[in-house]
Amino acid sequence: MRHIVLFHSVYGLRPAVLAAADRLRAAGHRVVTPDLYGVPAVDTIEEGFALFGRIGTETVLARARAAVADLPADTVLAGLSMGAGVAGALLADRPASAGLLLLHGTGGSPEAVRAGLPVHLHIADPDAYDPPAEVDAWRRAMATAGAEVEVYRYPGTDHFFTDPDLPGYAPADADRLWSRVQAFLG
């Protein structure tokens, strides 16, 4: 059993995020899904970027830090797309994290990585927001810093291929992702 914090995407705290948390809970994990926006989720990615712009990076990160303040030091940091970046940004504050689980986006900087940190990245291939060359450079930098990085690419899928409420949903790839996530979490 792991403690996991799962940060939402730029869309906000959508049903797909809550369903992902429920899936992890059903496997025996304790999962927290903080609302980094404090307002209802939006329907389009354009609305999400606009909402994120209004709320601001500093407010989002402050809310994320507050959400993990009382969680065990070895909580797994996880996030979807923008939430992956949020999870990665917290590594510097939480060096004892048991792992970094990144879905639909990269996150974390080599400076914040401790040797042996387990990191899983699950990403569309190609991904509209993280081109393959950037993913490769990120992977090399994280591995050089000492992280145990595994990158899983899902060819031909859309960025949010695990969200059944979006047009790019790919059920077979989503199932494969969740199977790999369960193995990562043990």
Side-chain angles (χ1 to χ4, degrees), residues 32-111:
V32 175
T33 54
D35 184 351
L36 302 176
Y37 288 171
V39 297
V42 297
D43 295 323
T44 70
I45 199 156
E46 295 80 15
E47 292 172 316
F49 282 121
L51 182 57
F52 178 76
R54 285 193 303 277
I55 294 169
T57 302
E58 291 309 312
T59 298
V60 165
L61 289 175
R63 289 175 178 170
R65 286 185 180 99
V68 300
D70 294 330
L71 295 178
D74 65 348
T75 296
V76 173
L77 303 172
L80 298 131
S81 190
M82 175 207 77
V86 171
L90 294 186
L91 274 179
D93 300 337
R94 300 185 60 87
S97 296
L100 184 60
L101 176 59
L102 308 171
L103 310 173
H104 312 297
T106 60
S109 67
E111 297 79 26

